[in-house]
Amino acid sequence: MTTIAHVRTAVRRLAEVSRVEGGAETWAVDGREFLTVTADRGSVELQLPADDADQVLLDIPGSRLLRRGSRTTGVVIPIDAMNGMQANAVIGRSWASRAPDRLTRTPVESGADSDLPRSLGRPATAALHSAGITTLAEVSSRAPAEIAALHGVGPRAVRLLEEALVAAGLAWG
C-alpha cells in the first residue's frame, strides 16, 4: 500500500513538473496536466493513453477508467490499492504520456546498438536508456523490481522484457 506522501514524492522527482494553481492538487509537465490527487476520495487521477489505462485496470484492482464523453483519458486509482512500485510506474507512464519529446526522447536510438524489444514503447525504452540499459544482457543483470521502479517502465514493459529474456536464453539477475 502506498500513501499520498509517496505519490507527491514520486511526482516531484520527475523532470519539469509544476503544481497547477487552483483548488485540486493537480500536477503538470510543460503545462499539460498528468495527475490529480483527490485526497478527500483517497485516489489519484492519471492521464494515460487508452491502452495503458486498460493495462492498469488489469494490474491494479479497484482502478477505473477516467472518461471524457466516450473517450478514455486515463484512470482513477485508489491510493491504497497500489504499492510503491506500482505508483512509481503508473505515475511515470502518465508523466511520459504528457511530457514533450525533448524530455522523453531516448538518448540512444533503438536499432543496431540495442536488442531491446521495439514493442516496449518510447517511455519504457527512454527510462531504460536513461539508466544506461541498452541491451537484454544489461536487463538480465538487474532484478525485475529494479527495472519496474524506473519511471516509464510499467507492468506491460516488464512482461515484454521477461518474454524477450526467455527468447534470448537469459534470465533476470
Side-chain angles (χ1 to χ4, degrees), residues 39-142:
D40 59 326
R41 291 184 298 235
S43 62
V44 290
E45 296 178 0
L46 296 143
Q47 301 298 312
L48 285 170
D51 59 334
D52 282 346
D54 290 339
Q55 187 62 48
V56 169
L57 292 181
L58 297 172
D59 296 337
I60 303 175
S63 58
R64 62 182 171 79
L65 292 177
L66 183 61
R67 294 185 175 273
R68 181 166 292 157
S70 63
R71 197 178 105 230
T72 298
T73 60
V75 292
V76 178
I77 307 171
I79 291 173
D80 62 0
M82 296 182 285
N83 63 37
M85 278 192 327
Q86 288 172 317
N88 289 344
V90 74
I91 291 167
R93 286 200 327 251
S94 180
W95 172 88
S97 75
R98 307 290 286 172
D101 286 345
R102 66 183 167 72
L103 294 178
T104 61
R105 190 175 302 124
T106 59
V108 178
E109 293 298 320
S110 293
D113 296 341
S114 176
D115 61 351
L116 297 175
R118 292 189 183 277
S119 58
L120 282 179
R122 186 177 61 181
T125 303
L128 290 167
H129 287 182
S130 293
I133 302 167
T134 60
T135 66
L136 286 174
E138 292 167 336
V139 170
S140 73
S141 70
R142 311 288 178 101

Side-chain angles (χ1 to χ4, degrees), residues 136-160:
L136 286 174
E138 292 167 336
V139 170
S140 73
S141 70
R142 311 288 178 101
E146 181 181 355
I147 298 296
L150 297 172
H151 291 293
V153 177
R156 178 181 169 272
V158 172
R159 187 178 65 250
L160 292 171

Side-chain angles (χ1 to χ4, degrees), residues 152-171:
V153 177
R156 178 181 169 272
V158 172
R159 187 178 65 250
L160 292 171
L161 287 168
E162 173 128 17
E163 291 168 1
L165 288 170
V166 169
L170 298 169

